[in-house]
Amino acid sequence: SAEVPFEQKDSFRSFLSTLAQFSGDLSSLTCPSFLLSSVSLLEYSQYWGDHPKLFASITKGKTPEERLLNITRWFISTLYGSYTSRSTTAGMEKKPYNPILGEQYFAKWTCGEDMGDTVLNAEQVSHHPPIMGFHLENKKAGVILEGHCGQKSRYAMPAGIDVSQTGHVILTLPEFKEHYLITLPALNIRGIVTGRPFVELSGTTYIVGSTSLMTTIEYSTKGYFSGERHSFKATLKPITGSHAFYTAQGLWSGSSNFTDVKKNETKLFFDSNTDPSIPPELKPQSEMGALESHKMWSSVTDAINAKDYAKASAEKSRIEEAQRALAKTRKEQGQTQADALLLFDLVDEDNDETGKAFASLKKMLTDAVGAKALKEDDTKPHWRLRQP
Ligand code: 0T9
């Protein structure tokens, strides 16, 4: 294949034959060097903040229907960054670093007096299995997003790697006393045999509100709806009703429209071409702590950027071995993974406000659409950002 560098053809071929039998923890995959990314997976949590203005304007909705529409629009706006930005900018999906336990990532978007700041705190809350916890908040606008996610790969080649996400997201609007449960899409990594992996989304996800309204989003890889890849269709309706008040459709990676069903009006919903992702502000590396992603992995990143893959691999092994030693010591001292966290606390669903909201929204969702909407391990546990 034209995408695979000549000198890596052999290692790529053996990588493909390993993949043929692969199933399980993606973080353990060893990729040929042209498939190595120089960012940590923990940084992917910043895509939730890609559109700080849409995030902040959720609370500008005057009715529960308008707020659900705003939440759905903001959610759709995060998909481009999360699932196609790397293929678009770097030409292909690459394998990120597997974050170490307690690794941290901080980001901030300043949107001026009127909108306020959106702040992201993320921490690798589990290493086995890999799970990241994140908290995104705009205090001024009154929007809080709390969640965690992990990945499970179902079966592998030849079609691609099927990845399901574990975990969930809860959006809270304190001034309205509203909570929303957001489920995470399944993805398929395709294009591997040609040496140019990219992500497709499939299946259905939900946004369920304590307002008794919900959005159902269907993803299509084959273009059932529009004949194009990366299409989606969203339906906003009362949980128990069958009539939609809004619908939206188009490409989640590009442009989409929405229809106000009552008014029979169709308008632009979101367009990633004219409304691109806003990169966050980060501290200079010299001011970062040792556990922050950029600092933590800087020696590997420098080596990858210099195309010195032997050095990159040696540096990576050094970091991973230090981690294994640390994990062993912690275990001997009777510590759990959660004991090692500095930002997030492992909380009990029944004794946590957001946890309780989750339990009730989960019941509403499973009553409405069945247990398939949230898998078993999407329930407990929960991690919460420690408040000062
Ligand atoms: C949460 C997101 C997640 C993380 C990534 C599967 C994947 C790791 C998890 C689910 C974010 O909110 C959204 C986007 C993309 C997901 C990644 C795509 C991907 O390929 C990786 C996996 C681990 C690989 O890197 C496999 C190697 C690949 C290059 C194929 C050979």
Side-chain angles (χ1 to χ4, degrees):
S1 149
E3 332 294 346
V4 182
F6 181 75
E7 70 288 358
Q8 290 182 43
K9 297 238 161 164
D10 285 345
S11 80
F12 183 63
R13 218 169 288 131
S14 72
F15 170 66
L16 287 183
S17 58
T18 325
L19 271 187
Q21 280 124 57
F22 177 82
S23 176
D25 184 358
L26 282 166
S27 63
S28 65
L29 253 186
T30 307
C31 286
S33 43
F34 78 97
L35 286 177
L36 298 181
S37 154
S38 57
V39 302
S40 168
L41 183 60
L42 188 64
E43 296 180 41
Y44 288 24
S45 51
Q46 86 180 33
Y47 299 126
W48 291 108
D50 267 357
H51 291 277
K53 289 191 176 144
L54 293 180
F55 187 66
S57 54
I58 288 173
T59 42
K60 294 218 169 100
K62 289 188 186 67
T63 61
E65 284 79 5
E66 277 178 24
R67 288 192 288 281
L68 184 65
L69 184 70
N70 291 352
I71 293 169
T72 306
R73 177 188 281 117
W74 158 78
F75 175 75
I76 293 294
S77 80
T78 66
L79 300 178
Y80 167 82
S82 300
Y83 302 106
T84 56
S85 60
R86 295 164 305 277
S87 292
T88 311
T89 56
M92 63 179 106
E93 200 65 57
K94 295 182 180 184
K95 187 169 190 286
Y97 311 141
N98 181 28
I100 63 146
L101 181 67
E103 185 174 323
Q104 304 170 341
Y105 189 72
F106 304 106
K108 186 169 135 185
W109 293 260
T110 42
C111 296
E113 268 300 292
D114 175 37
M115 290 276 184
D117 296 349
T118 300
V119 177
L120 171 77
N121 282 277
E123 185 173 31
Q124 188 72 14
V125 294
S126 167
H127 189 71
H128 290 292
I131 301 175
M132 45 190 172
F134 47 89
H135 181 113
L136 185 76
E137 179 165 0
N138 183 322
K139 282 215 161 69
K140 173 121 203 225
V143 188
I144 305 167
L145 184 79
E146 296 167 285
H148 68 265
C149 70
Q151 298 84 41
K152 270 189 183 160
S153 119
R154 285 283 145 91
Y155 58 87
M157 309 300 287
I161 306 176
D162 275 359
V163 182
S164 66
Q165 297 195 66
T166 61
H168 61 262
V169 173
I170 297 278
L171 190 112
T172 301
L173 309 178
E175 82 184 271
F176 297 99
K177 296 192 167 59
E178 289 173 3
H179 292 284
Y180 295 84
L181 165 63
I182 303 175
T183 68
L184 304 168
L187 43 131
N188 187 286
I189 309 167
R190 294 183 162 272
I192 300 172
V193 279
T194 63
R196 219 175 162 146
F198 65 95
V199 167
E200 283 185 342
L201 299 182
S202 61
T204 308
T205 67
Y206 304 92
I207 305 174
V208 193
S210 53
T211 52
S212 296
L213 303 178
M214 74 185 277
T215 301
T216 303
I217 307 169
E218 294 167 83
Y219 304 86
S220 168
T221 58
K222 297 192 188 80
Y224 294 113
F225 308 118
S226 66
E228 282 178 280
R229 193 162 246 162
H230 297 332
S231 48
F232 79 95
K233 186 181 172 189
T235 312
L236 287 71
K237 62 172 197 60
I239 294 180
T240 52
S242 52
H243 294 295
F245 44 86
Y246 290 116
T247 60
Q249 53 278 306
L251 301 183
W252 55 257
S253 57
S255 148
S256 53
N257 290 323
F258 79 104
T259 302
D260 181 326
V261 177
K262 226 181 257 155
K263 292 190 189 149
N264 196 18
E265 258 176 25
T266 296
K267 289 186 201 153
L268 178 70
F269 192 46
F270 177 72
D271 187 349
S272 67
N273 304 299
T274 54
D275 199 350
S277 307
I278 311 285
E281 294 152 34
L282 304 176
K283 275 181 288 192
Q285 222 187 82
S286 57
E287 287 169 29
M288 285 182 182
L291 288 167
E292 292 187 56
S293 297
H294 284 184
K295 187 83 172 217
M296 177 87 229
W297 297 98
S298 64
S299 60
V300 186
T301 303
D302 291 347
I304 290 179
N305 291 342
K307 294 198 162 32
D308 186 346
Y309 298 115
K311 175 130 190 257
S313 151
E315 286 298 319
K316 204 189 242 176
S317 304
R318 185 180 59 75
I319 295 171
E320 284 163 354
E321 254 142 53
Q323 277 311 301
R324 268 193 285 276
L326 206 58
K328 191 165 168 265
T329 315
R330 285 183 185 132
K331 206 169 177 181
E332 284 162 4
Q333 293 172 345
Q335 287 188 16
T336 65
Q337 291 194 86
D339 292 330
L341 306 180
L342 297 176
L343 302 177
F344 284 72
D345 285 318
L346 183 61
V347 298
D348 179 5
E349 185 171 291
D350 307 324
N351 292 314
D352 172 74
E353 281 315 306
T354 314
K356 282 188 253 180
F358 168 75
S360 114
L361 290 168
K362 184 192 166 215
K363 183 166 188 319
M364 285 161 77
L365 177 61
T366 49
D367 286 351
V369 302
K372 66 175 191 311
L374 268 171
K375 293 162 294 303
E376 199 48 52
D377 49 2
D378 286 343
T379 56
K380 297 170 185 182
H382 298 263
W383 290 268
R384 291 289 162 252
L385 184 67
R386 206 168 290 163
Q387 297 297 333

